């Protein structure tokens, strides 16, 4: 199979392009997505190829953007709506949580909502407290929604294609750091020439190891892989489990890894309270406590908004250094 | 206000209006009685007094047009032809219900086979969704339009403004129907609304706007027909403000008395929409008291049959619910 190196952004763009070519019910809209090709160029060239009926700039109206996606999906389209920063999803919380996730169930299964809400969070880019929030866990309280977080170009393409073809509403959370930070494992990577899909709802083991399991998602996968590669030089085997999808969550893959390593660290870009890390830790404590040889460690941000200053933000974030330190402490 | 000459109103159509409105009225009166008997768990927002809006608008639309309803939507469903037993079954939380009893009264109008894919319990939230429906219908062609109902309370939500603006900017085939019954729950519109009128607010988005007497089904029908024609001609969205009145309170628990002046109530009750159409039919020689009584008897039987069916329906098996959360299970 021929393989190229693509960036995370290029891989996302390819997924959109391929799905739009494949199915004329796929349309794209959001702020800056058409004429500008997206503020991070994820939708670059789509307007030129598919025209203004299928690729539309919207006003700054997040409620209407998500509402329009729901409506278009109700009459058979497969809209891909973009919310420029994850923080702005708060404005559309009602449409996402109270409508998109619930309408199928509330209607007794009469309707389906094949829509994708693409968004990104930009922790690690000095964007301050209102452009960096990782709110993924908040949306896990909305059954009916699927929540997907790609951590590499390969995953980004395969998961976005699956999300577009899925008949349920998918919140597709990208990482702004993976758009721009060239030092990250997830910034650039191999992507096959041939078409492929990655199933939603399945976690992926990014590094195999027998000593400690590090569960990560989105940007923290890059930190965890960097940590694992450094620790391997010291003879420590870190297994990195990338959740890929947090709703529905692939608990089985996490449990299997923990039963192999007997130690669990969860690394996530949100505050610790009720985060994705809390859910993973609770699951293992509830169903696999017998497998643990040490307490579960959660690596999150401290309970405060994101500081803007680059060095302060770095201290605030989960980094590979912090993961290495936690692994060493756990194995002591 | 508008020129309606093009709209033909024959005897059969006018009698059909009366029949539909009576169905809604008598259905809702029965729901109210069931509510008082404690047979309705949860809310029941009755449509009594507003029947002319649902019937006038929906009779003016095509069956393949898509309708978005609200928590005060029993009337929309019945006007669209959703079977009474299914609507009542939903209100009573039964398996027979439109939504298998998972939605309840506030979502009872949802019936995909009648092109009502959603009914919202969140004020204003259906408006942007209707914009998306309009986007999808326009994209596919075929002249279908989206029609969304909402109340006067909705016009103060952000969703209203975002939705109207986007529909206008994209020139989408959406009919906005505001049922202005003068109160958001118990709060009078005069205490919450700034500006000249709801219609004026809508027209500030460059949307073709109409104001109509919402208790007069003929007026509503003519206005909605003209608006639908305008939309189908590809000219963009249209907006109708229907001035009407709730003859009951906000929900079943509320009698709608303490916050509404007696004179106001008397005035609006004297404009009862069913009396209005019946008197018009009488003047035209199309109906008399005898016909009215036989219609009431017929509809009464119809309602009682639905009540019996709905009350006898089982409740959906809880074990089946997890299958309804996702269309594609992982």
């Amino acid at each position: 199979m021929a393989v190229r190196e693509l960036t995370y952004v290029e891989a996302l763009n390819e997924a959109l392009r391929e799905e739009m070519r494949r199915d004329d019910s796929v349309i794209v809209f959001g702020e800056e997505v058409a004429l500008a090709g997206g503020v991070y160029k994820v939708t670059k060239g789509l307007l030129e190829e598919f025209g203004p009926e299928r690729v539309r700039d919207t006003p700054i109206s997040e409620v209407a953007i998500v509402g329009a996606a729901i409506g278009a999906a109700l009459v058979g389209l497969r809209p891909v709506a973009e919310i420029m920063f994850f923080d702005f999803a708060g404005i559309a919380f009602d449409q996402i949580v109270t409508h998109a996730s619930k309408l199928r169930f509330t209607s007794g299964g009469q309707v389906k909502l094949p829509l994708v809400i693409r968004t990104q969070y930009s922790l690690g880019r000095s964007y301050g407290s209102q452009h960096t929030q990782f709110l993924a866990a908040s949306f896990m309280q909305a059954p009916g929604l699927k929540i997907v977080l790609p951590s590499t170009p390969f995953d980004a393409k395969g998961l976005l294609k699956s999300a577009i073809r899925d008949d349920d509403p998918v919140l597709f959370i990208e990482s702004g750091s993976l758009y721009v930070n060239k030092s990250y494992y997830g910034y650039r990577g191999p992507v096959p020439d041939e078409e492929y899909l990655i199933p939603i709802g399945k976690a992926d083991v990014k590094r195999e190891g027998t000593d400690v399991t590090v569960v990560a998602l989105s940007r923290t996968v890059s930190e965890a892989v960097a940590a694992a590669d450094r620790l391997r030089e010291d003879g420590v085997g870190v297994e990195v489990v990338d959740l890929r999808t947090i709703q529905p969550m692939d608990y089985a893959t996490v449990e299997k890894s923990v039963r192999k390593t007997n130690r669990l660290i969860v690394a996530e870009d949100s505050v610790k309270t009720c985060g994705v890390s809390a859910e993973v830790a609770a699951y293992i404590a509830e169903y696999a406590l017998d497998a643990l040889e040490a307490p579960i460690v959660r690596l999150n941000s401290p309970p405060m908004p994101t500081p803007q200053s680059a060095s302060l933000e770095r201290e605030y974030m989960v980094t590979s250094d912090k993961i290495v330190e936690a692994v060493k402490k756990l194995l002591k | 206000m508008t020129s309606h000459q093009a709209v033909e109103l024959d005897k059969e159509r006018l009698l059909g209006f009366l029949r539909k409105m009576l169905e809604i009225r008598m259905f809702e009166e029965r729901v109210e009685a069931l509510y008082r008997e404690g047979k309705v768990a949860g809310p029941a927002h009755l449509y009594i007094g507003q029947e002319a809006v649902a019937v006038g608008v929906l009779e003016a639309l095509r069956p393949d047009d898509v309708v978005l309803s609200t928590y005060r939507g029993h009337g929309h469903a019945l006007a669209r032809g959703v079977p009474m037993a299914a609507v009542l079954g939903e209100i009573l939380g039964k398996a027979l219900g439109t939504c298998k009893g998972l939605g309840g009264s506030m979502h009872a109008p949802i019936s995909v086979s009648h092109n009502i894919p959603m009914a919202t319990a969140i004020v204003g939230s259906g408006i942007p969704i209707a914009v998306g429906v309009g986007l999808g219908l326009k994209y596919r062609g075929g002249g279908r339009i989206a029609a969304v109902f909402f109340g006067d309370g909705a016009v103060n939500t952000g969703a209203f403004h975002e939705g109207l603006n986007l529909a206008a900017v994209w020139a989408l085939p959406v009919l906005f129907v505001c049922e202005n019954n003068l109160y958001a729950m118990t709060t009078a519109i005069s205490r919450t609304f700034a500006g000249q009128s709801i219609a004026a607010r809508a027209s500030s988005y460059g949307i073709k706007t109409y104001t109509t007497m919402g208790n007069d089904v003929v007026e509503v029908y003519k206005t909605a027909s003209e608006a639908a024609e305008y939309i189908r001609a590809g000219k963009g969205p249209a907006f109708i403000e229907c001035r009407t009145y709730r003859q009951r309170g906000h929900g079943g628990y509320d009698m709608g008395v303490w916050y509404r002046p007696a004179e106001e109530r008397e005035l609006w009750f004297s404009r009862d929409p069913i009396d209005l159409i019946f008197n018009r039919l009488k003047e035209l020689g199309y109906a008399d008291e005898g016909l009215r009584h036989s219609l009431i008897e017929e509809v009464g039987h119809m309602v009682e049959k639905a009540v019996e069916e709905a009350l006898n329906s089982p409740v959906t098996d809880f074990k089946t619910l997890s299958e309804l959360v996702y269309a594609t299970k992982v």
Side-chain angles (χ1 to χ4, degrees), chain B residues 125-149:
Chain B
S125 64
I127 294 169
I129 297 177
V131 173
V133 170
L135 175 65
L137 296 179
K138 184 182 182 185
Y139 180 68
R140 286 303 184 202
R144 298 167 73 192
I145 71 175
V148 57
F149 290 94

PDB file of all heavy atoms in Angstrom, chain B residues 125-149:
ATOM      1  N   SER B 125     -36.071  27.272  19.865  1.00  0.00           N
ATOM      2  CA  SER B 125     -35.007  26.422  19.320  1.00  0.00           C
ATOM      3  C   SER B 125     -35.356  25.776  17.986  1.00  0.00           C
ATOM      4  O   SER B 125     -34.472  25.353  17.254  1.00  0.00           O
ATOM      5  CB  SER B 125     -34.654  25.323  20.326  1.00  0.00           C
ATOM      6  OG  SER B 125     -35.780  24.480  20.502  1.00  0.00           O
ATOM      7  N   GLY B 126     -36.627  25.702  17.648  1.00  0.00           N
ATOM      8  CA  GLY B 126     -37.004  25.109  16.366  1.00  0.00           C
ATOM      9  C   GLY B 126     -36.693  26.016  15.188  1.00  0.00           C
ATOM     10  O   GLY B 126     -36.611  25.553  14.041  1.00  0.00           O
ATOM     11  N   ILE B 127     -36.518  27.293  15.470  1.00  0.00           N
ATOM     12  CA  ILE B 127     -36.340  28.271  14.387  1.00  0.00           C
ATOM     13  C   ILE B 127     -35.064  28.006  13.579  1.00  0.00           C
ATOM     14  O   ILE B 127     -35.130  27.849  12.358  1.00  0.00           O
ATOM     15  CB  ILE B 127     -36.428  29.705  14.948  1.00  0.00           C
ATOM     16  CG1 ILE B 127     -37.863  29.954  15.454  1.00  0.00           C
ATOM     17  CG2 ILE B 127     -36.025  30.735  13.910  1.00  0.00           C
ATOM     18  CD1 ILE B 127     -38.038  31.210  16.274  1.00  0.00           C
ATOM     19  N   PRO B 128     -33.897  27.917  14.215  1.00  0.00           N
ATOM     20  CA  PRO B 128     -32.703  27.598  13.411  1.00  0.00           C
ATOM     21  C   PRO B 128     -32.755  26.211  12.776  1.00  0.00           C
ATOM     22  O   PRO B 128     -32.163  25.999  11.713  1.00  0.00           O
ATOM     23  CB  PRO B 128     -31.548  27.705  14.408  1.00  0.00           C
ATOM     24  CG  PRO B 128     -32.156  27.723  15.759  1.00  0.00           C
ATOM     25  CD  PRO B 128     -33.550  28.224  15.621  1.00  0.00           C
ATOM     26  N   ILE B 129     -33.449  25.292  13.412  1.00  0.00           N
ATOM     27  CA  ILE B 129     -33.557  23.955  12.821  1.00  0.00           C
ATOM     28  C   ILE B 129     -34.394  24.027  11.542  1.00  0.00           C
ATOM     29  O   ILE B 129     -34.063  23.394  10.530  1.00  0.00           O
ATOM     30  CB  ILE B 129     -34.120  22.949  13.847  1.00  0.00           C
ATOM     31  CG1 ILE B 129     -33.139  22.831  15.033  1.00  0.00           C
ATOM     32  CG2 ILE B 129     -34.370  21.576  13.212  1.00  0.00           C
ATOM     33  CD1 ILE B 129     -33.584  21.939  16.168  1.00  0.00           C
ATOM     34  N   ALA B 130     -35.429  24.848  11.567  1.00  0.00           N
ATOM     35  CA  ALA B 130     -36.234  25.040  10.357  1.00  0.00           C
ATOM     36  C   ALA B 130     -35.397  25.642   9.227  1.00  0.00           C
ATOM     37  O   ALA B 130     -35.600  25.329   8.046  1.00  0.00           O
ATOM     38  CB  ALA B 130     -37.423  25.950  10.665  1.00  0.00           C
ATOM     39  N   VAL B 131     -34.454  26.479   9.599  1.00  0.00           N
ATOM     40  CA  VAL B 131     -33.566  27.073   8.597  1.00  0.00           C
ATOM     41  C   VAL B 131     -32.760  25.967   7.906  1.00  0.00           C
ATOM     42  O   VAL B 131     -32.599  25.963   6.683  1.00  0.00           O
ATOM     43  CB  VAL B 131     -32.640  28.119   9.266  1.00  0.00           C
ATOM     44  CG1 VAL B 131     -31.586  28.622   8.289  1.00  0.00           C
ATOM     45  CG2 VAL B 131     -33.469  29.279   9.806  1.00  0.00           C
ATOM     46  N   GLY B 132     -32.299  25.011   8.701  1.00  0.00           N
ATOM     47  CA  GLY B 132     -31.571  23.875   8.126  1.00  0.00           C
ATOM     48  C   GLY B 132     -32.459  22.999   7.262  1.00  0.00           C
ATOM     49  O   GLY B 132     -32.028  22.498   6.214  1.00  0.00           O
ATOM     50  N   VAL B 133     -33.705  22.821   7.683  1.00  0.00           N
ATOM     51  CA  VAL B 133     -34.654  22.064   6.854  1.00  0.00           C
ATOM     52  C   VAL B 133     -34.830  22.789   5.517  1.00  0.00           C
ATOM     53  O   VAL B 133     -34.781  22.179   4.444  1.00  0.00           O
ATOM     54  CB  VAL B 133     -36.011  21.884   7.575  1.00  0.00           C
ATOM     55  CG1 VAL B 133     -37.060  21.321   6.621  1.00  0.00           C
ATOM     56  CG2 VAL B 133     -35.857  20.975   8.796  1.00  0.00           C
ATOM     57  N   GLY B 134     -34.993  24.111   5.607  1.00  0.00           N
ATOM     58  CA  GLY B 134     -35.123  24.905   4.379  1.00  0.00           C
ATOM     59  C   GLY B 134     -33.898  24.771   3.491  1.00  0.00           C
ATOM     60  O   GLY B 134     -34.003  24.645   2.263  1.00  0.00           O
ATOM     61  N   LEU B 135     -32.725  24.757   4.109  1.00  0.00           N
ATOM     62  CA  LEU B 135     -31.475  24.597   3.357  1.00  0.00           C
ATOM     63  C   LEU B 135     -31.474  23.261   2.605  1.00  0.00           C
ATOM     64  O   LEU B 135     -31.147  23.201   1.420  1.00  0.00           O
ATOM     65  CB  LEU B 135     -30.291  24.669   4.332  1.00  0.00           C
ATOM     66  CG  LEU B 135     -28.891  24.414   3.773  1.00  0.00           C
ATOM     67  CD1 LEU B 135     -28.499  25.495   2.776  1.00  0.00           C
ATOM     68  CD2 LEU B 135     -27.860  24.360   4.913  1.00  0.00           C
ATOM     69  N   GLY B 136     -31.856  22.205   3.316  1.00  0.00           N
ATOM     70  CA  GLY B 136     -31.886  20.878   2.698  1.00  0.00           C
ATOM     71  C   GLY B 136     -32.914  20.792   1.585  1.00  0.00           C
ATOM     72  O   GLY B 136     -32.654  20.224   0.517  1.00  0.00           O
ATOM     73  N   LEU B 137     -34.079  21.373   1.810  1.00  0.00           N
ATOM     74  CA  LEU B 137     -35.148  21.310   0.798  1.00  0.00           C
ATOM     75  C   LEU B 137     -34.764  22.119  -0.436  1.00  0.00           C
ATOM     76  O   LEU B 137     -35.012  21.693  -1.571  1.00  0.00           O
ATOM     77  CB  LEU B 137     -36.465  21.819   1.387  1.00  0.00           C
ATOM     78  CG  LEU B 137     -37.050  20.998   2.547  1.00  0.00           C
ATOM     79  CD1 LEU B 137     -38.345  21.639   3.058  1.00  0.00           C
ATOM     80  CD2 LEU B 137     -37.302  19.545   2.147  1.00  0.00           C
ATOM     81  N   LYS B 138     -34.156  23.266  -0.219  1.00  0.00           N
ATOM     82  CA  LYS B 138     -33.735  24.092  -1.355  1.00  0.00           C
ATOM     83  C   LYS B 138     -32.659  23.372  -2.162  1.00  0.00           C
ATOM     84  O   LYS B 138     -32.686  23.355  -3.392  1.00  0.00           O
ATOM     85  CB  LYS B 138     -33.208  25.438  -0.851  1.00  0.00           C
ATOM     86  CG  LYS B 138     -32.831  26.400  -1.979  1.00  0.00           C
ATOM     87  CD  LYS B 138     -32.275  27.704  -1.441  1.00  0.00           C
ATOM     88  CE  LYS B 138     -31.961  28.662  -2.584  1.00  0.00           C
ATOM     89  NZ  LYS B 138     -31.311  29.891  -2.114  1.00  0.00           N
ATOM     90  N   TYR B 139     -31.739  22.762  -1.444  1.00  0.00           N
ATOM     91  CA  TYR B 139     -30.624  22.061  -2.095  1.00  0.00           C
ATOM     92  C   TYR B 139     -31.142  20.936  -2.983  1.00  0.00           C
ATOM     93  O   TYR B 139     -30.639  20.714  -4.081  1.00  0.00           O
ATOM     94  CB  TYR B 139     -29.686  21.514  -1.012  1.00  0.00           C
ATOM     95  CG  TYR B 139     -28.487  20.753  -1.535  1.00  0.00           C
ATOM     96  CD1 TYR B 139     -27.476  21.417  -2.224  1.00  0.00           C
ATOM     97  CD2 TYR B 139     -28.361  19.379  -1.330  1.00  0.00           C
ATOM     98  CE1 TYR B 139     -26.374  20.733  -2.695  1.00  0.00           C
ATOM     99  CE2 TYR B 139     -27.254  18.685  -1.800  1.00  0.00           C
ATOM    100  CZ  TYR B 139     -26.266  19.361  -2.488  1.00  0.00           C
ATOM    101  OH  TYR B 139     -25.178  18.672  -2.955  1.00  0.00           O
ATOM    102  N   ARG B 140     -32.169  20.238  -2.520  1.00  0.00           N
ATOM    103  CA  ARG B 140     -32.709  19.117  -3.286  1.00  0.00           C
ATOM    104  C   ARG B 140     -33.706  19.538  -4.360  1.00  0.00           C
ATOM    105  O   ARG B 140     -34.057  18.738  -5.236  1.00  0.00           O
ATOM    106  CB  ARG B 140     -33.357  18.104  -2.336  1.00  0.00           C
ATOM    107  CG  ARG B 140     -32.356  17.274  -1.544  1.00  0.00           C
ATOM    108  CD  ARG B 140     -31.405  16.529  -2.471  1.00  0.00           C
ATOM    109  NE  ARG B 140     -30.484  15.654  -1.733  1.00  0.00           N
ATOM    110  CZ  ARG B 140     -29.330  15.236  -2.218  1.00  0.00           C
ATOM    111  NH1 ARG B 140     -28.922  15.608  -3.416  1.00  0.00           N
ATOM    112  NH2 ARG B 140     -28.570  14.439  -1.507  1.00  0.00           N
ATOM    113  N   GLY B 141     -34.184  20.768  -4.288  1.00  0.00           N
ATOM    114  CA  GLY B 141     -35.161  21.231  -5.277  1.00  0.00           C
ATOM    115  C   GLY B 141     -36.520  20.604  -5.053  1.00  0.00           C
ATOM    116  O   GLY B 141     -36.720  19.851  -4.103  1.00  0.00           O
ATOM    117  N   GLY B 142     -37.496  20.917  -5.897  1.00  0.00           N
ATOM    118  CA  GLY B 142     -38.807  20.300  -5.768  1.00  0.00           C
ATOM    119  C   GLY B 142     -39.855  21.203  -5.147  1.00  0.00           C
ATOM    120  O   GLY B 142     -41.014  20.817  -5.019  1.00  0.00           O
ATOM    121  N   GLY B 143     -39.443  22.416  -4.781  1.00  0.00           N
ATOM    122  CA  GLY B 143     -40.426  23.402  -4.329  1.00  0.00           C
ATOM    123  C   GLY B 143     -41.009  23.178  -2.954  1.00  0.00           C
ATOM    124  O   GLY B 143     -41.985  23.815  -2.577  1.00  0.00           O
ATOM    125  N   ARG B 144     -40.422  22.266  -2.182  1.00  0.00           N
ATOM    126  CA  ARG B 144     -40.940  22.070  -0.825  1.00  0.00           C
ATOM    127  C   ARG B 144     -40.468  23.211   0.079  1.00  0.00           C
ATOM    128  O   ARG B 144     -39.413  23.790  -0.146  1.00  0.00           O
ATOM    129  CB  ARG B 144     -40.433  20.733  -0.256  1.00  0.00           C
ATOM    130  CG  ARG B 144     -40.889  19.525  -1.037  1.00  0.00           C
ATOM    131  CD  ARG B 144     -40.118  18.282  -0.621  1.00  0.00           C
ATOM    132  NE  ARG B 144     -40.530  17.817   0.703  1.00  0.00           N
ATOM    133  CZ  ARG B 144     -39.858  16.890   1.401  1.00  0.00           C
ATOM    134  NH1 ARG B 144     -38.743  16.368   0.919  1.00  0.00           N
ATOM    135  NH2 ARG B 144     -40.291  16.496   2.577  1.00  0.00           N
ATOM    136  N   ILE B 145     -41.263  23.479   1.096  1.00  0.00           N
ATOM    137  CA  ILE B 145     -40.859  24.509   2.047  1.00  0.00           C
ATOM    138  C   ILE B 145     -40.900  23.969   3.475  1.00  0.00           C
ATOM    139  O   ILE B 145     -41.531  22.957   3.754  1.00  0.00           O
ATOM    140  CB  ILE B 145     -41.717  25.797   1.923  1.00  0.00           C
ATOM    141  CG1 ILE B 145     -43.144  25.582   2.433  1.00  0.00           C
ATOM    142  CG2 ILE B 145     -41.764  26.290   0.481  1.00  0.00           C
ATOM    143  CD1 ILE B 145     -43.964  26.879   2.428  1.00  0.00           C
ATOM    144  N   ALA B 146     -40.216  24.679   4.365  1.00  0.00           N
ATOM    145  CA  ALA B 146     -40.257  24.364   5.797  1.00  0.00           C
ATOM    146  C   ALA B 146     -41.162  25.388   6.465  1.00  0.00           C
ATOM    147  O   ALA B 146     -41.114  26.568   6.122  1.00  0.00           O
ATOM    148  CB  ALA B 146     -38.854  24.449   6.387  1.00  0.00           C
ATOM    149  N   ALA B 147     -41.993  24.929   7.392  1.00  0.00           N
ATOM    150  CA  ALA B 147     -42.814  25.864   8.167  1.00  0.00           C
ATOM    151  C   ALA B 147     -42.563  25.600   9.640  1.00  0.00           C
ATOM    152  O   ALA B 147     -42.592  24.453  10.086  1.00  0.00           O
ATOM    153  CB  ALA B 147     -44.291  25.663   7.848  1.00  0.00           C
ATOM    154  N   VAL B 148     -42.286  26.656  10.371  1.00  0.00           N
ATOM    155  CA  VAL B 148     -41.991  26.473  11.801  1.00  0.00           C
ATOM    156  C   VAL B 148     -42.929  27.335  12.639  1.00  0.00           C
ATOM    157  O   VAL B 148     -43.109  28.516  12.382  1.00  0.00           O
ATOM    158  CB  VAL B 148     -40.503  26.777  12.114  1.00  0.00           C
ATOM    159  CG1 VAL B 148     -40.089  28.178  11.686  1.00  0.00           C
ATOM    160  CG2 VAL B 148     -40.196  26.564  13.595  1.00  0.00           C
ATOM    161  N   PHE B 149     -43.553  26.687  13.618  1.00  0.00           N
ATOM    162  CA  PHE B 149     -44.424  27.388  14.562  1.00  0.00           C
ATOM    163  C   PHE B 149     -43.636  27.756  15.813  1.00  0.00           C
ATOM    164  O   PHE B 149     -42.769  27.000  16.258  1.00  0.00           O
ATOM    165  CB  PHE B 149     -45.589  26.476  14.980  1.00  0.00           C
ATOM    166  CG  PHE B 149     -46.588  26.219  13.887  1.00  0.00           C
ATOM    167  CD1 PHE B 149     -46.473  25.096  13.071  1.00  0.00           C
ATOM    168  CD2 PHE B 149     -47.648  27.093  13.683  1.00  0.00           C
ATOM    169  CE1 PHE B 149     -47.397  24.849  12.066  1.00  0.00           C
ATOM    170  CE2 PHE B 149     -48.588  26.853  12.681  1.00  0.00           C
ATOM    171  CZ  PHE B 149     -48.457  25.727  11.870  1.00  0.00           C
TER     172      PHE B 149
END
